[in-house]
Amino acid sequence: MAGKITGLRSRYPLHIQIAVLFTLLIISIGSVIVLFSHSQLSKLTEASTQRQYQKTGEAIAAELNSVTRSMKMSVNMLAQLPIIAASTLEQRMAFIGPLVEILKQNDYANAVYSAYPNGDFFILRRLSPSNRALFNAPENAVWLVQSNRFLGTTPETQAFYLDTNQQVIMMKTVPFNGLDPRKRTWYQLAIKNQQLITSPLYTFKGTGETGFTYSIQTPDDHAVIGLDVSLASLSLFLKQNLPQGSQAAIINSASETIASLPAQNLKDHDGLSSIAQFPVLQTLLTSDNGNGNLFTAQGQSWFGAVVKLKGQSSGYQLVIATPSAYLTADANAIRNRSTLIAFALLLLSLPLVWYFSLRISRPLIRLRQDADAISNLHFDERAEERSVIEEVDDLHKAMSKMKLTLKQFISMGSLLSAKDNFPQQMQGLLNETSEIAAMSGGIIYLSDKTPGNFSPIACNWAGKESASSEVATLQFDPQYPNEFWQILEGKTIAGVFTRENIPSQLLMFCDRHLPLRYVAVPMQTHDQRLMGFLLLFKPVEAGSEHGQAKIQLINALVGSLSVAIETQYLLQEQKTLMGSFIQLIAGAIDAKSAYTGGHCQRVPVITKMLAKAAVEAKQGPFADFTLSANEWEELHTACWLHDCGKITTPEAIVDKATKLEMIYDRIHEIRMRFEVLKLEKEISYLRQPAAEQQEQQLRNELQQLDEDFYFIAQCNIGGEFLSDSALARIQQIAQYQWTRTLDDTAGIAWEELARKNRRPAVTLPVQEPLLADKEEHIIYRDDKSRLPESYHFKLKEPALLYNHGEIYNLGIRRGTLTDEERYKINEHIMQTIIMLEKLPFPRTMANVAVIAGGHHERMDGKGYPYQLTHQQMSIPVRMMAIADVFEALTAADRPYKPGKRLSESLTILVSMANENHLDRELLRLFLEAGIWRDYAQSYLPADKIDDVDITALLHKLAPLNETPEPSPSP
């Protein structure tokens, strides 16, 4: 991996990472603890504040209820006093004592008064620090009595300041303030309802305080008694019961402020403060945090709640907010102290963390080194690194065991690649498998063609190989089934072999070791076909029962065996298929023509006989020549396919026995023309007057025609050589004229019709030459009939594909083939190369096309298709060239000549070698090794085997550096 791990930019040593990990862990745990403690303390504080809010609300509600009950009772009591009937100031002043007592009993009442139907108003006020200056009261004054009496049109307004003993300290007359009690809401409601009423909240005209009035009309309707209740003092109550910095307000259902903390002087148009004057409380009231949550207002975090004042029918609510910083002050202090303690503990623990991280990382570093070694397939034998950590120490042991297992696995792979012998492969794989699985012995069984039969191919015991012949073939007996034969169902079987349950065929091999624990694992193909099974043994006393892990290990090992066996089977099947296909092609080529039958089968025989002789040569030019198993297979394939291109050669050319033969022999047409010509002469004679001279002339002409036909027929057969005089006579005979009266385009194929249409039409009857080379006889070469230029064949290609002209074919000098037909015959070797190079041969058979396509090359470079020289041709190519010529010379099924005798064939071979047509040294080996004799005895008829003077032939065979006189070619 070149020291890099994909996805990581940097890497650090393990001990540093462990130290950092523990440091981060301590910091994380400390932080979590601190934050959790801080969070819990904050929540406790908030919960405590919430409870305090509830208690404050309950206290305020109780206080309001107390005020309500007390003041209602007081008002009812006042309604029974005679003051209601008093009409003079002196009479009214006489009731100061009861009025003072009522105010003393009601702390939140600031005034008690009596209003009369004539507009008189008598009121007793409590003097407080907030209103003392308002009324210019003396220092020792505690009570203030104000009296408005209508003695005339102008009311008399007097003020009396009383001390604690209710003695008048000072009396003064003050200007009338315009107060008419009869216009006040509390008065009107009392007159209207005839019972104790509570007025709406309003601002007291005299003091500016907020409150309400309890009022009732006396039974005799002489007056209305009123008691002013000031709620301003509730703000002091809020201050006493709330945390520092808190804001609070008591509001009614209209969100009007009854009491607040801090107190507000701003007032709305009705005289009551609005909650809008308190932005923090307004935010709380309009948000969803009314149940006691944190919220933000004016850039600060607050904790607030809205508490409904129970027992108040007017819908009073207590709105409270406290700065969260005040609530969490103690929690923050505890958090800071905890953080400091955690940091100190971290500093103290770092040396210990560093020390133990080094102790932990050292064995792991060794593990990393072992893993690197394993990744490089390097298995050293260093002593194990022990660790104080049990898991790491166990990991070291597991790593050592894994190294051993991998080493043996690699050894198994090496066996598959190093050994070509299948039984040796199986034996080696069995040995390795037994060792890896820690088993004492085993046997590999392969399935026979007979169902239920398994033959041993490898076996061992105690690390020693045993011959598979010592183990009998296993046969499944359906009459005596046992658990072991579940292997036929593809199941892994584990158990104990005893004398009672062991298959009888195994008893001889295992008898002295019984009882044995065994594991039988099926070996199957990829399509679940049973190929055999692996049977492993271990004495019972040598270990405990097989664990599931060991059975899984053996199953995994059997995978290698299964792959190896299936590969061998597939390879053998492919080779068999390929061999059969090759022989099928060769047989099809031979069967295509009865004249060349057996050639493709006999050439491989001769070639391999010559190759065997070269391999066995201990001295001479072939002493170092060898062929591996793959090269033998390559040569075998090339020999069988050396003429596969003939499958493209038209049968009419391969079987052409006469010069005029095509699908049929056109000599019959020529004979018929002669017959017609003879009849024409007889008819011409008969049409003339009878004369002895004309009769003799007719006989001479008919005899001449007979001679000419037989001459043409003899030329059609094709001999060794056609003379110039014969060519001239053919031309002369071709000039004979015969009469055609029928259309020669009727009833013919469209291709022939297209050729005939090249010439202009004639009027019948027409005189035609007896023999002719017509335009219709020519078949031009098109792009489809041209060979690919990429192969760079050097055999010259004729301009025409075919020329079926009668004079042209009869004029063939030697044999029966025209130049075009000879090229078509020779083209088979080029087609062979093209066909074979298109086949995806394996690497071990890469030279099949080269070997098969070179048997028509010559040592002097005059062969085809590449015109290779001796140095450019491999030994197998030169061997096949000799085999091909020798088989052709001795074959008795050629259409153009009978098979030659053995001595004659060998003499021609020597001549061809001397002319640098064939390899001389290989031909010498061919003669000296007696290959010709062995082949002749098996394949030549007895009448073709004659005496051969090998000594004379070898003497005639010239050395390689000499060029003998040329001799006639066959």
Side-chain angles (χ1 to χ4, degrees):
M1 293 185 296
K4 294 183 178 179
I5 300 178
T6 303
L8 297 182
R9 295 184 177 179
S10 302
R11 299 188 303 157
Y12 303 95
L14 178 61
H15 63 279
I16 293 180
Q17 296 194 42
I18 292 176
V20 172
L21 175 62
F22 274 95
T23 300
L24 293 177
L25 186 62
I26 293 172
I27 293 175
S28 299
I29 293 175
S31 299
V32 169
I33 292 174
V34 170
L35 293 176
F36 179 77
S37 300
H38 180 266
S39 175
Q40 293 302 310
L41 286 173
S42 298
K43 290 180 179 179
L44 288 174
T45 303
E46 292 172 0
S48 175
T49 303
Q50 180 70 15
R51 288 193 295 272
Q52 184 177 354
Y53 287 171
Q54 293 292 338
K55 289 181 179 179
T56 300
E58 293 172 359
I60 292 175
E63 189 75 13
L64 289 177
N65 289 334
S66 176
V67 168
T68 301
R69 287 192 301 270
S70 176
M71 292 184 179
K72 286 182 178 181
M73 292 175 59
S74 298
V75 172
N76 286 325
M77 291 173 59
L78 285 174
Q80 304 299 324
L81 291 177
I83 192 175
I84 59 176
S87 59
T88 65
L89 178 60
E90 291 76 10
Q91 292 174 343
R92 296 171 181 169
M93 288 291 292
F95 292 96
I96 289 299
L99 296 179
V100 169
E101 289 301 323
I102 288 176
L103 289 181
K104 286 182 178 181
Q105 292 175 5
N106 297 277
D107 294 336
Y108 298 107
N110 62 346
V112 60
Y113 45 82
S114 175
Y116 300 93
N118 62 350
D120 286 357
F121 185 67
F122 185 81
I123 181 171
L124 174 67
R125 296 182 184 275
R126 189 196 310 271
L127 291 175
S128 64
S130 60
N131 62 8
R132 185 177 296 275
L134 178 64
F135 295 110
N136 298 317
E139 293 182 1
N140 55 347
V142 177
W143 307 100
L144 171 63
V145 177
Q146 292 179 312
S147 173
N148 290 344
R149 294 180 62 236
F150 282 85
L151 300 177
T153 56
T154 301
E156 178 187 22
T157 303
Q158 292 178 309
F160 300 88
Y161 298 94
L162 308 177
D163 59 12
T164 56
N165 296 322
Q166 302 174 14
Q167 297 298 317
V168 177
I169 300 173
M170 184 179 68
M171 185 276 293
K172 64 178 180 179
T173 300
V174 296
F176 178 60
N177 57 4
L179 175 63
D180 186 350
R182 294 169 297 180
K183 297 180 181 180
R184 304 298 283 180
T185 303
W186 51 268
Y187 186 92
Q188 296 173 354
L189 289 175
I191 296 297
K192 181 179 180 181
N193 293 305
Q194 299 292 317
Q195 61 182 357
L196 181 66
I197 59 96
T198 302
S199 72
L201 292 175
Y202 67 99
T203 302
F204 300 145
K205 187 173 182 62
T207 62
E209 295 178 330
T210 300
F212 59 90
T213 299
Y214 289 110
S215 59
I216 187 172
Q217 187 178 24
T218 60
D220 54 3
D221 299 333
H222 285 143
V224 174
I225 301 299
L227 182 68
D228 285 346
V229 180
S230 174
L231 298 181
S233 58
L234 286 178
S235 298
L236 298 177
F237 181 80
L238 292 176
K239 184 175 182 181
Q240 295 173 0
N241 292 275
L242 292 178
Q244 183 179 0
S246 298
Q247 293 187 18
I250 298 175
I251 63 174
N252 58 15
S253 58
S255 297
E256 295 173 331
T257 304
I258 298 173
S260 65
L261 180 70
Q264 294 290 321
N265 294 323
L266 297 176
K267 300 178 182 179
D268 59 14
H269 61 280
D270 290 328
L272 293 179
S273 299
S274 172
I275 192 64
Q277 303 298 325
F278 305 92
V280 174
L281 301 181
Q282 175 72 15
T283 301
L284 173 62
L285 191 62
T286 57
S287 68
D288 296 330
N289 299 315
N291 294 326
N293 290 315
L294 290 173
F295 68 98
T296 301
Q298 295 184 332
Q300 186 179 359
S301 179
W302 297 78
F303 182 84
V306 178
V307 182
K308 184 177 181 180
L309 300 181
K310 297 180 180 180
Q312 298 300 312
S313 60
S314 299
Y316 293 157
Q317 290 180 309
L318 174 64
V319 184
I320 311 174
T322 302
S324 61
Y326 173 80
L327 298 179
T328 60
D330 293 339
N332 291 339
I334 295 174
R335 178 195 61 193
N336 295 336
R337 288 194 296 271
S338 300
T339 303
L340 182 62
I341 294 172
F343 183 73
L345 291 175
L346 173 63
L347 293 178
L348 293 174
S349 63
L350 281 179
L352 293 175
V353 171
W354 185 260
Y355 171 76
F356 282 106
S357 65
L358 288 175
R359 288 290 304 273
I360 293 172
S361 64
R362 189 177 297 112
L364 293 176
I365 291 173
R366 175 59 188 274
L367 279 175
R368 189 261 301 165
Q369 294 172 350
D370 288 345
D372 287 342
I374 292 174
S375 66
N376 294 320
L377 302 182
H378 176 67
F379 306 101
D380 57 2
E381 301 297 334
R382 293 187 298 177
E384 294 184 7
E385 182 79 20
R386 303 306 300 269
S387 174
V388 296
I389 302 176
E390 181 180 359
E391 291 80 4
V392 176
D393 194 55
D394 291 341
L395 184 58
H396 271 288
K397 295 177 182 178
M399 182 70 75
S400 299
K401 187 176 180 181
M402 182 178 68
K403 286 197 296 184
L404 178 61
T405 302
L406 286 176
K407 184 177 180 181
Q408 291 171 325
F409 262 115
I410 293 173
S411 178
M412 293 175 68
S414 300
L415 287 172
L416 292 175
S417 60
K419 293 186 177 181
D420 295 331
N421 187 282
F422 182 60
Q424 290 181 2
Q425 284 184 350
M426 293 298 101
Q427 186 65 59
L429 291 172
L430 175 62
N431 296 340
E432 294 293 341
T433 302
S434 300
E435 184 176 353
I436 294 174
M439 303 297 283
S440 300
I443 305 174
I444 296 178
Y445 283 98
L446 296 183
S447 177
D448 289 346
K449 294 183 179 179
T450 303
N453 282 17
F454 297 89
S455 299
I457 191 173
C459 57
N460 69 0
W461 183 266
K464 296 182 180 180
E465 299 179 5
S466 301
S468 57
S469 58
E470 298 179 6
V471 184
T473 299
L474 275 181
Q475 297 178 347
F476 170 64
D477 189 350
Q479 295 182 355
Y480 301 99
N482 58 29
E483 182 183 8
F484 174 77
W485 287 109
Q486 293 182 23
I487 195 73
L488 295 176
E489 301 174 6
K491 298 179 180 179
T492 298
I493 309 300
V496 178
F497 275 147
T498 63
R499 294 182 183 277
E500 289 73 25
N501 67 354
I502 189 171
S504 58
Q505 297 89 349
L506 281 173
L507 185 58
M508 182 180 298
F509 181 76
C510 302
D511 185 30
R512 62 182 182 276
H513 305 295
L514 294 174
L516 287 172
R517 295 197 183 279
Y518 73 89
V519 177
V521 183
M523 296 183 297
Q524 298 175 312
T525 62
H526 65 281
D527 55 355
Q528 305 303 311
R529 182 176 62 86
L530 185 65
M531 300 182 296
F533 60 89
L534 169 67
L535 183 60
L536 297 177
F537 310 104
K538 191 170 188 179
V540 172
E541 62 273 14
S544 60
E545 185 177 355
H546 297 301
Q548 186 63 29
K550 176 166 287 189
I551 293 177
Q552 291 179 353
L553 173 62
I554 296 174
N555 274 319
L557 295 174
V558 167
S560 299
L561 289 172
S562 301
V563 170
I565 294 172
E566 184 175 12
T567 300
Q568 288 293 330
Y569 281 177
L570 291 175
L571 182 60
Q572 187 60 43
E573 290 174 355
Q574 288 179 353
K575 288 183 177 180
T576 303
L577 175 62
M578 185 174 181
S580 300
F581 180 75
I582 290 171
Q583 295 182 22
L584 176 68
I585 295 296
I589 294 171
D590 287 342
K592 182 179 180 183
S593 172
Y595 296 103
T596 61
H599 174 74
C600 292
Q601 301 176 36
R602 294 190 290 265
V603 168
V605 174
I606 302 171
T607 305
K608 287 191 282 188
M609 291 172 66
L610 183 54
K612 183 174 180 293
V615 170
E616 294 175 350
K618 304 300 180 183
Q619 57 185 1
F622 304 106
D624 297 329
F625 178 75
T626 60
L627 288 175
S628 64
N630 290 331
E631 289 172 333
W632 273 111
E633 186 176 8
E634 183 180 60
L635 180 62
H636 170 82
T637 304
C639 289
W640 276 93
L641 294 176
H642 79 283
D643 272 347
C644 67
K646 282 185 178 180
I647 201 169
T648 65
T649 305
E651 187 176 347
I653 297 178
V654 176
D655 295 346
K656 188 178 182 184
T658 65
K659 296 180 180 180
L660 293 175
E661 184 177 8
M662 291 172 61
I663 303 301
Y664 70 99
D665 197 339
R666 292 181 293 167
I667 191 64
H668 303 300
E669 291 186 13
I670 304 300
R671 183 180 66 249
M672 186 57 63
R673 293 175 195 167
F674 272 98
E675 295 285 0
V676 171
L677 187 54
K678 289 171 65 179
L679 289 175
E680 287 181 349
K681 290 186 178 296
E682 289 183 2
I683 293 171
S684 177
Y685 167 76
L686 292 175
R687 288 177 177 175
Q688 296 177 3
E692 182 178 351
Q693 184 178 1
Q694 283 81 6
E695 183 179 356
Q696 182 64 37
Q697 182 180 358
L698 175 61
R699 286 196 296 271
N700 292 338
E701 289 178 354
L702 294 179
Q703 182 178 358
Q704 184 62 44
L705 288 175
D706 290 343
E707 293 176 357
D708 289 340
F709 170 73
Y710 289 118
F711 171 74
I712 294 297
Q714 183 63 36
C715 290
N716 185 47
I717 294 176
E720 292 296 330
F721 186 76
L722 188 67
S723 64
D724 292 339
S725 60
L727 286 174
R729 186 176 177 183
I730 292 173
Q731 291 289 347
Q732 180 184 357
I733 295 173
Q735 303 304 317
Y736 296 167
Q737 299 288 320
W738 70 285
T739 303
R740 177 170 64 86
T741 61
L742 298 176
D743 185 2
D744 61 356
T745 63
I748 61 176
W750 67 270
E751 289 182 323
E752 184 178 1
L753 178 61
R755 293 197 299 270
K756 285 183 177 293
N757 288 335
R758 296 176 190 167
R759 57 178 170 82
V762 297
T763 302
L764 297 177
V766 63
Q767 290 286 314
E768 290 187 350
L770 187 65
L771 301 173
D773 290 338
K774 299 180 180 180
E775 176 66 20
E776 62 201 58
H777 289 150
I778 296 176
I779 299 178
Y780 294 99
R781 186 178 298 277
D782 55 15
D783 292 338
K784 294 181 180 180
S785 59
R786 289 187 173 88
L787 295 177
E789 296 181 359
S790 59
Y791 287 92
H792 305 292
F793 297 127
K794 295 183 180 180
L795 187 62
K796 185 177 179 180
E797 188 177 72
L800 301 178
L801 183 60
Y802 297 113
N803 187 343
H804 297 310
E806 296 165 343
I807 301 174
Y808 180 74
N809 277 265
L810 287 171
I812 297 172
R813 292 280 190 173
R814 180 178 296 171
T816 62
L817 300 177
T818 64
D819 291 342
E820 291 80 10
E821 292 167 340
R822 175 66 61 183
Y823 177 82
K824 193 64 178 179
I825 290 289
N826 294 339
E827 189 186 48
H828 83 275
I829 196 65
M830 294 178 278
Q831 292 292 347
T832 295
I833 295 173
I834 293 173
M835 292 168 63
L836 294 180
E837 287 192 354
K838 289 181 178 179
L839 292 178
F841 285 106
R843 175 184 52 83
T844 56
M845 301 177 68
N847 295 318
V848 167
V850 175
I851 298 173
H855 65 278
H856 284 293
E857 300 287 357
R858 293 177 44 152
M859 303 303 106
D860 57 5
K862 296 180 181 179
Y864 64 90
Y866 290 115
Q867 297 181 355
L868 302 178
T869 62
H870 177 277
Q871 294 78 11
Q872 295 173 315
M873 299 166 63
S874 66
I875 293 177
V877 172
R878 288 178 262 155
M879 289 178 176
M880 193 184 297
I882 294 175
D884 188 71
V885 173
F886 180 67
E887 195 283 329
L889 291 172
T890 57
D893 51 9
R894 291 297 182 266
Y896 46 84
K897 60 182 177 60
K900 299 183 181 296
R901 295 191 308 274
L902 183 59
S903 60
E904 186 180 2
S905 299
L906 294 177
T907 300
I908 294 175
L909 283 178
V910 170
S911 299
M912 294 176 69
N914 288 335
E915 294 174 355
N916 285 329
H917 190 146
L918 302 175
D919 186 282
R920 299 180 192 180
E921 296 300 331
L922 280 175
L923 183 59
R924 186 181 300 277
L925 178 64
F926 179 82
L927 297 174
E928 291 177 344
I931 297 171
W932 54 274
R933 183 190 308 109
D934 297 337
Y935 174 78
Q937 292 174 354
S938 300
Y939 292 93
L940 296 187
D943 61 334
K944 297 299 181 180
I945 303 176
D946 57 353
D947 294 333
V948 178
D949 187 352
I950 290 298
T951 303
L953 289 175
L954 291 173
H955 181 72
K956 184 185 292 187
L957 189 61
L960 185 61
N961 57 355
E962 295 184 9
T963 303
E965 293 295 329
S967 60
S969 300

